[in-house]
Every structure is written in C-alpha cells, then in structure tokens.
Amino acid sequence: MPIDATQPYDPDNIFAKILRGEIPNETVYEDEHVLAFKDINPQAPIHVLVIPKGDYVSWDDFSARASDVEIGHFVRKVGEIARDLDLVEPGYRLLANIGGHGHQEVPHLHVHLFGGRPLGPMLARI
Ligand code: AMP
C-alpha cells in the first residue's frame, strides 16, 4: 500500500532494518551516509536502490530537512554509482516515488536506479 509522505519517520520500516543489519541486502555501494543495494524485485536488468542513512521519509522530507552537505553528497553518490555501473552510455533512469499518487511503499527515501535495457517511455499511460 502507498504511504502518506507526511507521516513521521517510522524506525521499523524495512530499509531502516536493512541499515541496522537486521535484514540482509545485496550491497552495491556503502559509505558513512549512503547505502545502495539491489532491489529485491527488479524491474530491469539493473535495479538499484540508493538511500541516505539519515531518517528521511521521502524526497519531500529530505529536500526540506537534510543539510546542503547531505543533499550534495547523496546526489553526487547517485551519479557516481551509475557511472561505476557503466550506465551513463547507454543511459539509465532515476525515479523517486513520493506519497500516495507517487505509489511510494517504503517510508524511507530511496531513489530507484534502472538500467541495462531500453526503458521505454517514462509512464505507460496518462
Ligand atoms: P517504492 O514503491 O518506491 O516505495 O519502492 C519500494 C521498493 O523496495 C520496491 O521496488 C521493492 O521491490 C523494494 N524492496 C522492498 N523490500 C526490499 C528488500 N528487503 N530489499 C530490497 N528491495 C526491497
């Protein structure tokens, strides 16, 4: 079920459990502030989730409350991870779902990174 992006941060969400090491993940990249891991239900040959380690519900929450340093680091790392996966050429897609209409299901900010095949138009229908 999609979440309400205005809800307070839930420390029991599945990505919080991954960050605490309570649930395994296939890590692609990790540093002090960022974790990138393979999506458990991939929608493309490459489907990686990039998350900040701070407690942010969504892109809305992150862009409102995170420091410029956190935001700058996160954005740089998303780009770096895509380059390390050799995705710049032929290309890739970033996606962040926010709240109900965005169909966000996990209430911890994550950016989907898709690649490895032509991804088609952005949305299937209006
Ligand atoms: P969203 O709809 O943007 O909230 O996407 C949540 C994503 O998290 C989905 O693509 C799920 O397949 C993925 N997901 C859920 N649980 C896990 C998990 N334990 N490990 C990796 N990915 C997960």
Side-chain angles (χ1 to χ4, degrees):
M1 280 291 290
I3 64 139
D4 171 359
T6 64
Q7 69 184 53
Y9 187 79
D10 171 11
D12 287 327
N13 80 78
I14 196 144
F15 293 171
K17 291 179 179 174
I18 285 176
L19 285 170
R20 289 196 296 268
E22 296 166 12
I23 292 178
N25 74 93
E26 281 193 72
T27 299
V28 172
Y29 174 84
E30 182 168 18
D31 68 22
E32 194 183 342
H33 302 292
V34 169
L35 177 68
F37 54 98
K38 292 184 183 177
D39 195 290
I40 204 167
N41 182 25
Q43 307 292 316
I46 295 173
H47 185 174
V48 169
L49 301 172
V50 189
I51 69 173
K53 290 191 172 177
D55 294 350
Y56 299 105
V57 174
S58 68
W59 185 271
D60 177 68
D61 188 24
F62 187 63
S63 61
R65 289 198 302 113
S67 69
D68 289 356
V69 170
E70 284 176 285
I71 292 170
H73 182 80
F74 186 76
V75 171
R76 281 203 189 280
K77 287 300 164 186
V78 172
E80 192 177 297
I81 290 161
R83 281 192 292 281
D84 287 349
L85 291 168
D86 291 326
L87 289 175
V88 179
E89 175 56 44
Y92 62 100
R93 178 171 295 157
L94 299 178
L95 177 72
N97 295 320
I98 297 118
H101 281 193
H103 212 278
Q104 179 181 2
E105 294 192 311
V106 178
H108 183 115
L109 168 63
H110 47 286
V111 170
H112 296 259
L113 194 165
F114 301 104
R117 68 165 167 79
L119 294 164
M122 188 168 61
L123 295 173
R125 57 180 184 275
I126 294 175

